[in-house]
Amino acid sequence: MVHRVPDSPEPGPATDGAATVTRYLDAVLRRASVPMETEPFEPDWQDRPRSHKVYRGAPGFPLPERVPQPPLELGEVLLDRRPGRRPDGEAVFTLPLLAGMLRHSYGWLSRRLQIDPNPGRRGQAAYSNAEWARGSAAGGGLYPCELYWVCGRGGGPLPGVYHYEQPTHSLRRVATAPLSSQVRAASGLGADTAEQFLLVTTRWWQNAFKYGEFSYHCVTMDLGCLLRTWQTWAAACGIELRPLLCHDEPRLDHLLGLDPGTESVLAVVPLPWRRPADDVPEEGAHDGPGLRPAPPRPPAVTADVAERSSTVRRFPAAEAAHLAAVHDLRPLPAPGTLAEAARVTPARTGPGTRGTSGTPGRPDSLAATVPLPEPAPLSGGVAAALTDRRSSFGRFCAHRPLGTEELSALLSAAAAGRRLGTGQAPLTRAAVFVQHVAGVPAGPYLHDPAAHALVPLPGPAPHPFLQRAYTLTNYNLEQAAVALFVLARPHAVIAAAGPRGYRLLNAEAGAVAQAVYLAAAALGTGCGAALGFDYEAVHTALAPAVGTGTWPLLLLMAGHERPGRARFDAPVTPRSPSPRTEGTDL
């Protein structure tokens, strides 16, 4: 029997959701010196949850294993540099394309075992400690997102709701009711927009069992990694995906039979699909633009879920921040208002500058900047980059400097990765601590995407500052060629956008991380992402140059790795459901 600690109180009408989220943000930013939990917390690895959700007894079918590969190269879509050629045919999803995107984003791609200097990974040489590799990055490799396909008319299978089962690369039908019209209404879409949707939920316990109160910060970035993967895959097929992060969350949670305190719908992704021959949307007469109160209906998904953990804890601060966003149905502010709140403007002083009276967000003089060359080509396909993506941990090696073309490609990917297509201008910028890059002096810089240049910043030398600011032991940051901090003005964005502003920022940071990971995989360089650093120390070092309201959200490291590393990487062909495993507790 699963024991749950008492639920956190649901915020009422008088609750100031923005203040709740700001308190949580402040706790995250000072976690290097003040623990986020009120009581000592240690993960119980013997009682950890599964890495995926299991619906008992839900019928299912395997997805196609032979799927068409996206025809456009990674660099064309990752850097937003589309040539004149396009894939043949109409750019819409099919079931095989959907299967390929799901498998290469969240499906199990290979079984990996690698030996590295990470002291936290004991028994690395034992095959029982090998890991299942996936295409999208996730905090701690925990993969807390769950994927649902709301299949409407013309999708191929019978209309209903299908849950993606990651280990078997199959779909489980968890609801038989047609729900496309209800998803459209909950997302503020009209009747002529879409019949097929992907819903992304997050099961908090799949991450919180390890990270506790910090889990909400992690999983909202994992969401952005996943959405950027889907957008990259779809773009390589000539399809544009526009994820929606502002929707009637309680209504969608109710449809899926979810308790928002334990699992919730964080994103809705309409899928361009070939319309049915009669072109009459399901229940189209009841659709209309704009969010509306949900009519009282029973949950559509009632299938039984198997929980592995005997004790499921709920963490009050993380849950309060999440529920504040769940129950805030106000629309986002105008894009200009949000962009102004998020603007990070370097304070230029010293030789070659003329103060800060020029265009907001742009340096007044580029005389002291370091221009970047054209990015190194990111050749190869999207599927190959997703398959090769991995974290470097302690394998960085400074004996071979990073080339300026390679740095240019990584930073171009980071800048392009900020655009999640959610209707607002980019909310983040990148500060780069250069250490071992050919032709670029070591030191801190601000990346200026418009000028494609590095703007020197006053600040500490990268070494030993970076290693002292890093709170874990799995990376030697002095050996990394560059350390990239994703910067934002989180307090201003939350004040402008409300509780959902925190999610928007973190999703964008996660999207940047995934874009950099894919660029590094195409370049054959190492890459790693980390949240275990002293936010206050980095803020103090950069605040004189970028403003006191600007904070780091995420650390990305890149550089060449030691040659001849010991590793085992076996590609996996997902097995299909069989009578021996059908409906069992996998």
Side-chain angles (χ1 to χ4, degrees):
M1 178 179 295
V2 176
H3 169 71
R4 291 180 172 84
V5 299
D7 295 358
S8 299
E10 182 176 303
T15 300
D16 188 343
T20 299
V21 174
T22 300
R23 284 194 296 271
Y24 179 81
L25 167 66
D26 291 337
V28 167
L29 298 178
R30 64 173 184 267
R31 65 185 290 261
S33 56
V34 180
M36 295 186 69
E37 288 80 19
T38 56
E39 299 178 359
F41 169 73
E42 291 290 337
D44 184 354
W45 293 96
Q46 300 302 315
D47 197 36
R48 65 178 298 175
R50 290 179 181 83
S51 63
H52 58 284
K53 192 174 183 178
V54 174
Y55 281 99
R56 285 197 181 100
F61 61 89
L63 285 168
E65 294 180 6
R66 294 186 177 273
V67 298
Q69 296 297 303
L72 299 183
E73 287 194 345
L74 177 69
E76 299 177 28
V77 296
L78 194 62
L79 305 184
D80 270 350
R81 298 187 175 186
R82 314 284 182 85
R85 67 185 180 90
R86 289 289 186 272
D88 296 331
E90 187 179 351
V92 293
F93 268 99
T94 62
L95 185 58
L97 278 182
L98 177 62
M101 187 176 77
L102 293 178
R103 180 178 181 182
H104 284 88
S105 60
Y106 243 53
W108 290 2
L109 299 178
S110 65
R111 183 75 165 165
R112 288 179 181 172
L113 181 67
Q114 54 192 10
I115 299 176
D116 55 55
N118 181 359
R121 301 176 61 186
R122 302 183 183 278
Q124 294 183 48
Y127 179 76
S128 58
N129 291 331
E131 299 173 342
W132 297 108
R134 311 194 203 190
S136 296
L142 299 179
Y143 296 95
C145 293
E146 297 292 334
L147 316 180
Y148 294 84
W149 177 23
V150 178
C151 179
R153 298 169 64 253
L158 292 173
V161 179
Y162 295 84
H163 174 255
Y164 178 59
E165 191 172 83
Q166 304 147 20
T168 60
H169 186 52
S170 60
L171 292 176
R172 297 283 180 176
R173 195 178 190 208
V174 295
T176 58
L179 297 177
S180 296
S181 65
Q182 296 193 52
V183 174
R184 285 194 296 268
S187 305
L189 301 175
D192 59 346
T193 50
E195 284 283 335
Q196 319 296 330
F197 298 89
L198 288 176
L199 305 185
V200 183
T201 73
T202 293
R203 298 190 75 204
W204 309 112
W205 179 238
Q206 282 178 216
N207 187 283
F209 88 92
K210 178 180 178 181
Y211 291 114
E213 294 283 16
F214 189 58
S215 58
Y216 185 62
H217 189 71
C218 296
V219 300
T220 45
M221 290 189 182
D222 294 344
L223 172 69
C225 291
L226 174 62
L227 295 179
R228 170 52 62 196
T229 302
W230 286 354
Q231 285 186 312
T232 305
W233 177 278
C237 300
I239 304 171
E240 183 181 14
L241 288 186
R242 294 178 175 270
L244 305 175
L245 301 182
C246 184
H247 50 274
D248 189 340
E249 204 164 318
R251 182 173 185 175
L252 294 179
D253 291 346
H254 179 73
L255 287 178
L256 297 184
L258 305 177
D259 171 9
T262 60
E263 183 177 357
S264 192
V265 178
L266 299 191
V268 177
V269 184
L271 297 177
W273 208 283
R274 195 179 304 278
R275 299 300 292 258
D278 57 11
D279 200 29
V280 177
E282 168 253 325
E283 297 185 18
H286 301 287
D287 287 338
L291 299 180
R292 305 194 312 274
R297 297 189 182 186
V301 177
T302 58
D304 185 30
V305 177
E307 175 57 67
R308 179 182 181 183
S309 298
S310 60
T311 301
V312 177
R313 290 190 58 180
R314 295 169 71 161
F315 296 87
E319 188 168 332
H322 161 62
L323 291 178
V326 169
H327 297 286
D328 183 13
L329 300 184
R330 295 172 296 176
L332 293 176
T337 302
L338 196 54
E340 186 60 33
R343 194 181 307 278
V344 177
T345 305
R348 300 290 305 280
T349 58
T353 64
R354 298 192 303 269
T356 58
S357 59
T359 303
R362 292 287 309 278
D364 291 326
S365 172
L366 299 181
T369 63
V370 178
L372 292 170
E374 279 295 305
L378 302 180
S379 56
V382 173
L386 289 168
T387 302
D388 293 340
R389 187 207 64 81
R390 67 183 67 239
S391 291
S392 291
F393 289 111
R395 294 190 298 271
F396 285 123
C397 181
H399 292 297
R400 180 185 169 196
L402 196 69
T404 51
E405 296 85 359
E406 294 172 314
L407 174 60
S408 175
L410 293 171
L411 292 177
S412 297
R418 301 178 301 167
R419 294 188 285 274
L420 265 178
T422 53
Q424 83 273 341
L427 305 178
T428 62
R429 291 196 69 171
V432 187
F433 281 79
V434 173
Q435 297 191 108
H436 311 292
V437 178
V440 181
Y445 298 85
L446 191 70
H447 179 225
D448 182 0
H452 195 48
L454 295 175
V455 180
L457 298 178
H463 181 72
F465 168 74
L466 290 175
Q467 196 65 49
R468 289 174 177 171
Y470 192 59
T471 58
L472 303 177
T473 56
N474 55 354
Y475 280 100
N476 181 355
L477 271 74
E478 194 278 332
Q479 292 293 303
V482 294
L484 185 156
F485 288 96
V486 179
L487 303 181
R489 302 184 68 233
H491 298 87
V493 171
I494 293 172
R500 292 176 187 263
Y502 187 83
R503 290 187 187 176
L504 293 177
L505 280 175
N506 279 8
E508 185 173 306
V512 170
Q514 183 67 4
V516 173
Y517 262 120
L518 294 180
L523 294 170
T525 63
C527 182
L531 293 169
F533 62 92
D534 189 335
Y535 296 78
E536 291 176 299
V538 177
H539 170 262
T540 300
L542 295 179
V546 296
T548 57
T550 302
W551 287 82
L553 297 180
L554 176 68
L555 167 62
L556 297 167
M557 297 150 283
H560 291 292
E561 297 181 344
R562 297 187 182 120
R565 61 181 181 267
R567 67 172 184 172
F568 167 81
D569 195 340
V572 174
T573 300
R575 62 184 178 86
S576 304
S578 67
R580 297 183 61 186
T581 61
E582 182 73 31
T584 59
D585 188 3
L586 298 178

